Amino acid sequence: MAVTMNDVARAAGVSLKTVSNVINNYEFIRPTTKQRVLDAIDELGYETNLTARSLRSGKTSMLGLVLADLSIPFYAELASDIMKAAWARGYRVLVEQSGNEADHERAALQGQFRSLTDGLLFIPLALDAEQIIQAAGAKPLVLLGEFVQDPRLDMVLIQNHQAAAAVTSHLLAAGRRRIAVLGANDGDTTGSNGLRLSGYRAALAAAGVEYDPALVVGCDWRRDGGADAIARLLDSGVAFDAVFGLNDALALGALHELLVRGKDVPGEVAVAGFDDIDEARFASPSLTTVAPGRTEIAERAVELLIERIESKDAVLKVQQPEAAFELRVRQSAP
């Protein structure tokens, strides 16, 4: 039978209310009484042992992870890698979805979620650097992604520009000259979409191929967004012989729509993506894509955050490492 708070109260010789006050860190409790309750919790194996240990040490051994949406495959796979990296270092991970909402991101930085953790891994999409710094407080914080870049903040980065240029150069080397880009708008310069678009444009310029804004299609970074974008391109009559989805979900949606429309992939249209999610290997045809170093991102982010948590040095040099990427050439764009 599970140990209850009543069992703890009897073992410690105190009231149930006193046990509750200790667990909730109520400040007006005699130190000797608090110690008796904590000892009883440990001895009986009460389920809030973690809470008891955190009261003693000031640590929860929990990391927070805030991201936009776990239904996005890259985020889900990154979260899994982060949990594995944390587990190997004696930490667990609490995950919160922000839904790209500024209020939700701010609440994760300031509210109860933050109080349950020793530090936070954060993928911001709504708050800017100043808002993050103001809301973050004293607990350690490491950013992931490129929507916010600031020299005052620790972060682990993807080589978005370089990797997108590598994908585009691969398509150009295969003889493609009309490469549609899905997931950006002409003129984007910041965030993953802007950086990947700039890499695409740099590769075109290096090959002497003129940039055509009609080939850049903004859309939601999901499969249905990619399918809809390709449908719009086909219906508009804009000519293209390759598609670069700025993430794999977009590329897979585009691939599906092209095949439904009777297009030969890669004969008529080559398709490439970005992220190397698990599904990319099992698509038919399998998807050419960039592996942005997801495992390395997880490992380095967790390592950096725990270094911040456990360091005795109040002033540590800001770190912003970049993960290495790799082009994975498959059937959709050989």
Side-chain angles (χ1 to χ4, degrees):
M1 183 178 296
V3 176
T4 67
M5 285 179 63
N6 280 318
D7 296 326
V8 174
R10 282 193 293 270
V14 299
S15 68
L16 184 63
K17 177 65 174 175
T18 298
V19 174
S20 176
N21 287 342
V22 171
I23 290 174
N24 289 288
N25 204 21
Y26 183 67
E27 59 181 319
F28 300 111
I29 299 177
R30 291 190 184 92
T32 54
T33 302
K34 179 177 180 179
Q35 189 60 52
R36 287 209 315 275
V37 173
L38 293 175
D39 289 343
I41 287 172
D42 282 340
E43 290 168 9
L44 295 175
Y46 183 55
E47 289 181 353
T48 56
N49 269 343
L50 179 61
T51 301
R53 287 196 298 272
S54 72
L55 291 176
R56 288 193 180 99
S57 67
K59 288 180 57 181
T60 66
S61 295
M62 301 291 290
L63 307 180
L65 171 62
V66 180
L67 43 72
D69 189 344
L70 279 169
S71 70
I72 296 174
F74 179 76
Y75 286 159
E77 293 178 18
L78 177 63
S80 177
D81 286 342
I82 285 171
M83 290 176 187
K84 292 172 186 175
W87 179 281
R89 293 164 174 82
Y91 284 77
R92 301 296 181 268
V93 180
L94 295 176
V95 181
E96 179 77 1
Q97 297 185 122
S98 69
N100 296 359
E101 296 288 339
D103 287 345
H104 292 173
E105 290 187 356
R106 191 175 289 105
L109 287 170
Q110 296 178 320
Q112 184 179 23
F113 179 79
R114 189 80 187 275
S115 69
L116 295 172
T117 65
D118 296 328
L120 194 65
L121 299 168
F122 182 31
I123 305 177
L125 293 175
L127 299 180
D128 62 26
E130 286 300 332
Q131 291 169 321
I132 291 169
I133 290 169
Q134 290 174 12
K139 281 191 178 181
L141 174 72
V142 174
L143 302 189
L144 300 167
E146 290 72 36
F147 183 78
V148 171
Q149 293 192 46
D150 190 281
R152 297 168 292 176
L153 293 166
D154 290 311
M155 57 187 69
V156 179
L157 302 169
I158 292 172
Q159 295 185 50
N160 284 289
H161 177 97
Q162 300 92 324
V167 175
T168 307
S169 295
H170 172 73
L171 294 170
L172 291 165
R176 312 291 173 164
R177 289 296 180 269
R178 298 283 297 169
I179 304 170
V181 177
L182 311 184
N185 294 294
D186 181 40
D188 283 348
T189 58
T190 61
S192 297
N193 54 342
L195 293 169
R196 293 175 193 182
L197 181 62
S198 72
Y200 161 83
R201 295 191 65 164
L204 291 181
V209 175
E210 186 177 355
Y211 170 76
D212 183 354
L215 291 171
V216 180
V217 186
C219 56
D220 189 41
W221 281 31
R222 299 177 185 274
R223 293 175 186 84
D224 55 356
D228 177 67
I230 283 298
R232 283 186 277 139
L233 270 178
L234 291 170
D235 292 342
S236 72
V238 173
F240 60 95
D241 56 11
V243 174
F244 175 23
L246 295 188
N247 74 354
D248 283 348
L250 285 167
L252 290 167
L255 176 62
H256 172 79
E257 185 67 19
L258 287 166
L259 295 176
V260 167
R261 297 282 193 114
K263 299 297 183 182
D264 178 12
V265 177
E268 292 180 80
V269 182
V271 178
F274 197 117
D275 284 343
D276 195 31
I277 63 174
D278 289 342
E279 189 180 348
R281 292 180 293 135
F282 300 103
S284 183
S286 56
L287 184 66
T288 291
T289 185
V290 167
R294 191 185 66 233
T295 301
E296 182 186 356
I297 292 166
E299 289 282 344
R300 297 186 78 170
V302 169
E303 184 177 4
L304 178 55
L305 183 59
I306 293 174
E307 177 186 342
R308 296 308 193 230
I309 291 167
E310 298 183 351
S311 175
K312 306 300 184 188
D313 187 354
V315 180
L316 294 171
K317 182 180 178 181
V318 171
Q319 296 185 42
Q320 297 185 348
E322 288 186 330
F325 71 88
E326 182 180 346
L327 181 64
R328 302 278 169 83
V329 178
R330 300 192 180 105
Q331 295 169 335
S332 68

